[in-house]
Amino acid sequence: PEPGRCAHFVLRKKRFCRMIPAPGRRFCGEHGHEEEQNDRKRIPCPLDPKHTVYEDQLQKHLKKCNSREKPKPVYFVQDINAGLKDVSEIPEKQVPLSSLSIEDLQNLITRLKKASNGLELHLKEQILSHQALQEALSDPKNGESAFKHLKQQASILGNMERLHLLGPGRCFVEFGAGRGKLSHWVDIALENVESVQFLLVERATTRFKVDGKHKRRDSIFERLQVDIQHLCLNKVPILEKKKLPVVGIGKHLCGAATDLALRCLVESYTTCCDGKDEEPAPKRCRAAQTEVAPHKSAGNESTTEDHKPVAGIVIALCCHHKCDWTHYVGREFFKSVGLGPVEFHYFQRMSSWATCGMQETTGKASTSEDSEDQTNDTEEHEHTLSSTASGSDTLQGTLSVEERKELGCLCKRLIDHGRIEYLQQQGYKAALQYYTEAAVSLENVLLTAVPNPSGIPEPTI
C-alpha cells in the first residue's frame, strides 16, 4: 500500500484501498475489522448497505449518514411535474420487443410509418460555435473526448445567442446539471453582463463541480439537489424574490427527464409564476397570455420582455429509450394519430436502434437525469440496449442494420414531434435541429423554444 493509505487490498479493483486510516492504524474505518487488535464488529448500514458501520456506533451513525432522509426543501412539491395521474392508461404487462412475432413487428412498423407521414423528418443543421469557447477548443491539452464536449457546448451557446437568450437580468436553469459545465460556459459568455442567476438542478450528489470556480462576482450559482419531477421553480427563493425570466437549458437530458423539465417550465412554473397557487390554465401558458400585450401597445417589446416567465428553452436531447408514457408530454399527439401507451412502449425501445444498430452493449444505460459530467468525460449516453431488449433475436434476418437505424430515427422524431406540438400548444415557437455532427455525438438533436410573439399556438405540421 501507499504510505499513509489503507492496507486493505481490493480484489475487484486489483489495488489497495486509497482511504486514509486514523493515526496509528493500518486500515481505514471501512476495513478496520481487519486490524488484529480490533474485535469490534462492522455491519452493513441499514440506510445504504454499500457501506458498513461499527455495530456499537450504529445509532450515532444513522443521525449523520449521508443516505438518511433529509428535510425537503421549500421548492419540493411531490410529483408536481409527473404528468399522468390515471394509471388505467398504462398497460399492466408490457411484452418485450423480442417476444413479438414477425407479423406483429411488421404491423408495428407500418403504424410507425403511417403516424410519421407528413412530419418534418429532415432537420435543419444549426451547427454553430461561440467565442467563449474558442480558447478551450484550440487548447492542445484537451483530449478527443473533451474536445467533443466542447464542440457541443459551443454549438449550444451559439444557438442560444442566435435566439437572443444570452442577455442580462435572466435566470439560467440547467436541468441534469452534473458538474455544471454548460452553466460554466454560459457564465463565461456573459462576462460583462449584470444580474445573472444560475440554478443547477441535479438530484445526485456530484463530485468535481465547476460552478464553484466561476470568477465573476456578479453571477450567482445555486444548486438544487432535487428530482425534476418534484421541482416547483416558482417556490425557489431567488425566483420568488426577483421574478427573473427563466431560460431552461440542458446538455443531453435523458429520456423522461426532458419531459419533466418541459412540464416544470411551461406548466408548473409558468402558470404559477405570479406567486399564487391558483388553478393553472389548461391550454395556454402565462407566457402566451403576456405576449398578447404588444399588439395593444404596438411595439413596446422591451416592456413585455421583462414579464415573460420563460424566455426560452434549449435542450440537447438523448436516450429516447428511457422515455416513459407516464411523464411524456406528447401523449395528446400520440392519441391524435391513433397511438397509445402500448405503441409508445415499443417505439421508445426501438428508438435505440438509431444509435446501436445490431451491436451488443458494453455500457450500462444511464438514468433519467444523468449527464456526462456525473461520472466521467466519456461520450455520454451512446450506450445501447442489450440484444434482448432491442429485439435482435426476432429481427435476425428480417431487418438490416441500416433499416433498423432508419426505424430508430423515425421513432425518435415521432417522440420529439410530440414534444414540439406540446410546446406549440402552450404558446411557444419550437423547433428541432442538428446542433453538431454525428461524428461528435450520435445524440445530436437540439430542441429549442421561445415564446410565440402572437401568443397563438402554431399550426402543427
Side-chain angles (χ1 to χ4, degrees):
E2 298 177 20
R5 301 288 179 171
C6 178
H8 173 79
F9 187 78
V10 186
L11 289 174
R12 180 173 60 87
K13 297 184 178 181
K14 297 181 180 179
R15 62 166 173 77
F16 285 95
C17 172
R18 292 174 179 166
M19 298 297 288
I20 301 175
R25 298 284 189 180
R26 293 182 59 237
F27 296 90
C28 67
E30 187 68 20
H31 305 114
H33 59 279
E34 298 183 28
E35 293 272 11
E36 294 179 3
Q37 70 272 24
N38 191 349
D39 56 357
R40 298 166 69 191
K41 183 181 179 183
R42 290 187 72 86
I43 59 173
C45 173
L47 299 178
D48 181 7
K50 291 181 180 178
H51 66 272
T52 61
V53 59
Y54 283 118
E55 188 174 28
D56 58 359
Q57 291 187 338
L58 177 61
Q59 294 306 315
K60 181 180 178 181
H61 171 79
L62 293 177
K63 294 178 182 178
K64 62 180 181 179
C65 178
N66 288 332
S67 299
R68 72 189 186 281
E69 186 175 354
K70 302 176 181 67
K72 297 290 189 295
V74 293
Y75 46 78
F76 181 97
V77 178
Q78 186 72 37
D79 294 329
I80 187 171
N81 305 313
L84 185 65
K85 300 294 191 296
D86 186 5
V87 293
S88 63
E89 283 196 37
I90 304 173
E92 292 182 6
K93 187 177 180 181
Q94 296 178 331
V95 180
L97 194 60
S98 57
S99 300
L100 292 179
S101 65
I102 300 296
E103 184 181 352
D104 288 339
L105 181 64
Q106 291 295 349
N107 180 52
L108 198 62
I109 293 172
T110 301
R111 299 190 69 182
L112 169 65
K113 292 181 177 179
K114 183 180 178 181
S116 304
N117 187 34
L119 300 185
E120 182 57 58
L121 302 177
H122 301 287
L123 305 184
K124 184 179 180 180
E125 283 193 356
Q126 293 285 0
I127 303 175
L128 307 176
S129 190
H130 196 280
Q131 59 183 9
L133 289 95
Q134 291 311 305
E135 184 178 344
L137 283 168
S138 58
D139 188 348
K141 294 181 181 178
N142 288 317
E144 182 182 356
S145 178
F147 182 71
K148 286 182 177 182
H149 289 305
L150 289 169
K151 286 196 72 173
Q152 293 173 67
Q153 288 154 349
S155 186
I156 291 174
L157 262 66
N159 277 278
M160 291 176 68
E161 188 172 54
R162 175 178 63 86
L163 296 170
H164 308 291
L165 296 178
L166 294 177
R170 288 178 177 175
C171 178
F172 295 88
V173 183
E174 184 180 355
F175 293 95
R179 293 172 58 195
K181 284 277 189 74
L182 185 55
S183 291
H184 169 73
W185 289 115
V186 172
D187 181 49
I188 291 177
L190 298 173
E191 186 177 1
N192 299 315
V193 176
E194 297 180 351
S195 303
V196 178
Q197 167 78 34
F198 291 90
L199 295 177
L200 281 66
V201 183
E202 180 58 69
R203 67 178 178 183
T205 303
T206 309
R207 301 176 67 192
F208 311 118
K209 297 183 283 287
V210 298
D211 40 291
K213 301 176 182 179
H214 60 89
K215 298 178 181 180
R216 294 177 58 239
R217 296 180 180 178
D218 296 337
S219 57
I220 302 172
F221 280 72
E222 182 180 348
R223 280 193 169 260
L224 308 180
Q225 189 174 341
V226 62
D227 194 308
I228 304 172
Q229 182 170 330
H230 313 300
L231 172 60
C232 183
L233 277 178
N234 67 300
K235 291 184 180 294
V236 176
I238 190 70
L239 289 177
E240 196 172 22
K241 179 181 178 182
K242 294 188 177 182
K243 309 290 185 186
L244 295 174
V246 162
V247 178
I249 60 176
K251 178 173 176 283
H252 288 153
L253 197 56
C254 275
T258 293
D259 299 298
L260 295 172
L262 293 179
R263 194 175 282 109
C264 176
L265 290 165
V266 305
E267 286 190 42
S268 65
Y269 177 63
T270 305
T271 55
C272 303
C273 62
D274 55 1
K276 299 177 182 177
D277 295 325
E278 298 175 355
E279 260 187 59
K283 291 293 182 182
R284 295 277 300 281
C285 69
R286 188 168 179 263
Q289 294 167 359
T290 55
E291 287 285 355
V292 180
H295 294 277
K296 296 181 180 179
S297 59
N300 191 9
E301 294 182 5
S302 60
T303 304
T304 56
E305 177 72 21
D306 296 334
H307 293 87
K308 293 176 185 176
V310 178
I313 300 170
V314 180
I315 295 175
L317 305 171
C318 82
C319 295
H320 293 71
H321 63 273
K322 300 294 289 183
C323 290
D324 189 298
W325 178 257
T326 305
H327 305 312
Y328 182 51
V329 296
R331 291 192 302 267
E332 291 303 317
F333 162 70
F334 257 64
K335 292 175 184 177
S336 71
V337 291
L339 303 174
V342 175
E343 292 81 8
F344 181 84
H345 164 70
Y346 290 128
F347 292 161
Q348 53 105 193
R349 305 305 285 178
M350 289 163 63
S351 69
S352 66
W353 297 350
T355 54
C356 74
M358 296 288 284
Q359 299 172 15
E360 295 287 332
T361 180
T362 55
K364 182 180 178 182
S366 61
T367 58
S368 63
E369 283 183 271
D370 287 345
S371 70
E372 86 285 359
D373 294 322
Q374 276 181 255
T375 48
N376 53 44
D377 282 336
T378 57
E379 182 54 29
E380 70 276 13
H381 307 317
E382 293 184 4
H383 308 302
T384 63
L385 299 179
S386 65
S387 59
T388 303
S390 302
S392 297
D393 296 336
T394 303
L395 299 170
Q396 290 287 2
T398 305
L399 298 172
S400 68
V401 174
E402 287 304 315
E403 287 174 324
R404 282 166 56 90
K405 288 182 178 179
E406 183 180 344
L407 290 171
C409 288
L410 208 57
C411 290
K412 282 177 174 283
R413 296 295 79 80
L414 190 68
I415 292 172
D416 289 339
H417 184 81
R419 291 163 168 168
I420 293 296
E421 189 164 301
Y422 164 80
L423 288 168
Q424 290 173 345
Q425 289 298 319
Q426 294 287 339
Y428 287 82
K429 185 177 181 180
L432 298 168
Q433 51 261 305
Y434 292 118
Y435 77 103
T436 192
E437 300 89 351
V440 173
S441 175
L442 292 175
E443 298 283 16
N444 61 342
V445 174
L446 189 71
L447 182 151
T448 61
V450 292
N452 188 4
S454 67
I456 303 172
E458 289 186 337
T460 55
I461 298 173

